[in-house]
Amino acid sequence: MLPQPYMIFDQFVSSRIHIGLTGSIAVFKSLDLIRLLQKSSIGISATLTRSCKEFVGPLTFSALGIEPLYSQDRYDPVEQPYAHLSVHGHTDLFLVAPATAGILARAAAGSADDLLSTQLLSYPGRILFAPAMNPHMWNNPAVRRNVQLLQSYGHSFIEPDIGEVACGEQGRGRFPDIVKLYYNTLKALAPQDYNSTRVLITAGPTHEYFDLVRFWSNPSSGRMGLALALSFWLRGAEVFFIHGPMLPLHNLDKFHLLPVTSASEMYLKCKDTWLDCHIGVFCAAVSDFTPVPCPQPKFKKQGKESLQLTMEPTIDILAAMSSNKTHKQ
């Protein structure tokens, strides 16, 4: 599931990314990632390895507006004598997605045997790798050593997902979820001015059940809370997202999803979480009243001409948390 329009951040108009595209069957998924990054107003250039073109050709990436587009076969050392140095002059981030075991090995060893590995070797800025490979390859000690070595150089990784890979095997090695990859790429471009900050955010409606199948609620979507939570997270915060029933959400590192149903559950979850946080943003559409529960598991209308509900007030979560905040919150 790709991000909904309200979760696309388009404030990166002055940013540029160079993407290294390698010979993995997962490379076709990079097309969706490129489209998302373009919706965020990010300029994109790319380098294709020879093996990448066995899966997706240069024309496909050119049609998406990638400029400039480099590949070993299209590289002319006379007309482009410094193509191997061309990335660092105008790029904020070097993203390798997908990153195969081969490119990790060449990057870790400082090899310069093709255009992409040479560009990586000469790039002085931040490099972000998104590996994709067979689980046995990902767990191989040589690959683990290369990952650790690249991390020691200051480069970053988006760990592959667990699931079924192209060969049918199960395990960690699957190309990261595109939404997770999109947000982590934006995070690499965003200022980290909320680093070491813990933020509690409430969002969405609550469902106050009358019986097992009927509840009192409102049509809140939780979109505003989610957009705020992602904004804090992109800028380095650790987010505790306490939400009522709402659209499917994606797991991100240090973005804690804490689902609740009723106002009382949201209050208890906030109470348990709030004292360890620095900032609270309370934008959930919490029901102001909750019905006294029906004595029957399922209300029956037979023999009844009317229905009277007794409603009781719910706890004011914002007021309760405000009364217990410290001077550091």
Side-chain angles (χ1 to χ4, degrees):
M1 176 181 175
L2 295 180
Q4 299 296 321
Y6 56 84
M7 290 187 281
I8 297 291
F9 291 81
D10 60 0
Q11 297 86 5
F12 293 84
V13 65
S14 61
S15 299
R16 287 196 61 85
I17 293 175
H18 188 80
I19 302 181
L21 299 154
T22 63
S24 166
I25 194 171
V27 72
F28 76 92
K29 296 182 180 179
S30 297
L31 300 173
D32 288 330
L33 173 63
I34 289 170
R35 291 188 185 96
L36 288 178
L37 294 173
Q38 289 173 331
K39 288 181 179 179
S40 293
S41 306
I42 296 173
I44 301 173
S45 57
T47 299
L48 282 62
T49 63
R50 282 196 177 97
S51 53
C52 168
K53 293 187 289 184
E54 298 295 324
F55 296 97
V56 182
L59 184 59
T60 302
F61 295 101
S62 294
L64 291 178
I66 303 301
E67 178 62 37
L69 181 66
Y70 300 100
S71 69
Q72 199 72 32
D73 294 341
R74 300 176 68 182
Y75 164 58
D76 187 333
V78 175
E79 295 186 4
Q80 301 171 294
Y82 302 111
H84 61 297
L85 304 175
S86 61
V87 176
H88 65 266
H90 59 278
T91 303
D92 302 298
L93 176 70
F94 201 135
L95 171 66
V96 184
T100 59
I103 195 63
L104 295 181
R106 293 199 295 278
S111 176
D113 58 355
D114 66 0
L115 186 57
L116 178 58
S117 62
T118 307
Q119 289 174 333
L120 287 169
L121 187 61
S122 67
Y123 185 68
R126 184 172 182 183
I127 301 175
L128 178 62
F129 293 95
M133 65 193 73
N134 177 275
H136 296 297
M137 297 172 66
W138 175 247
N139 292 318
N140 187 284
V143 174
R144 308 308 306 155
R145 180 197 61 206
N146 290 333
V147 170
Q148 292 171 4
L149 188 57
L150 288 167
Q151 288 175 327
S152 72
Y153 296 158
H155 305 318
S156 302
F157 279 78
I158 303 174
E159 192 171 56
D161 287 344
I162 296 175
E164 183 176 338
V165 295
C167 62
E169 293 192 19
Q170 292 276 348
R172 187 175 296 281
R174 184 181 176 90
F175 192 51
D177 175 82
I178 293 299
V179 175
K180 181 169 70 173
L181 188 52
Y182 166 69
Y183 287 129
N184 276 279
T185 302
L186 295 188
K187 187 173 184 177
L189 296 170
Q192 298 300 289
D193 48 349
Y194 281 96
N195 193 26
S196 301
T197 302
R198 293 185 296 275
V199 181
L200 182 157
I201 296 185
T202 66
T206 62
H207 290 179
E208 312 300 322
Y209 275 84
F210 171 62
D211 61 15
L212 293 178
V213 297
R214 299 176 179 87
F215 56 83
W216 179 268
S217 188
N218 59 67
S220 171
S221 66
R223 295 178 178 182
M224 180 175 67
L226 180 57
L228 287 168
L230 286 169
S231 297
F232 275 110
W233 182 85
L234 289 174
R235 291 168 64 170
E238 181 175 6
V239 174
F240 297 85
F241 190 60
I242 302 175
H243 62 91
M246 55 183 291
L247 53 84
L249 301 170
H250 294 268
N251 288 318
L252 299 167
D253 184 43
K254 293 189 177 181
F255 192 105
H256 307 284
L257 301 176
L258 303 173
V260 298
T261 300
S262 65
S264 61
E265 290 177 358
M266 183 170 286
Y267 164 73
L268 292 174
K269 188 67 70 174
C270 288
K271 182 180 178 183
D272 292 340
T273 309
W274 174 226
L275 289 179
D276 293 325
C277 293
H278 303 100
I279 297 173
V281 182
F282 299 88
C283 47
V286 184
S287 297
D288 297 311
F289 290 87
T290 185
V292 173
C294 177
Q296 303 167 333
K298 186 173 186 296
F299 175 77
K300 304 292 184 182
K301 71 175 183 179
Q302 287 78 9
K304 298 180 176 64
E305 296 183 357
S306 63
L307 171 64
Q308 292 184 335
L309 289 177
T310 300
M311 307 291 287
E312 297 178 338
T314 59
I315 299 175
D316 188 327
I317 297 175
L318 174 58
M321 297 305 110
S322 296
S323 65
N324 288 310
K325 75 182 182 70
T326 68
H327 67 283
K328 295 182 179 180
Q329 294 177 294

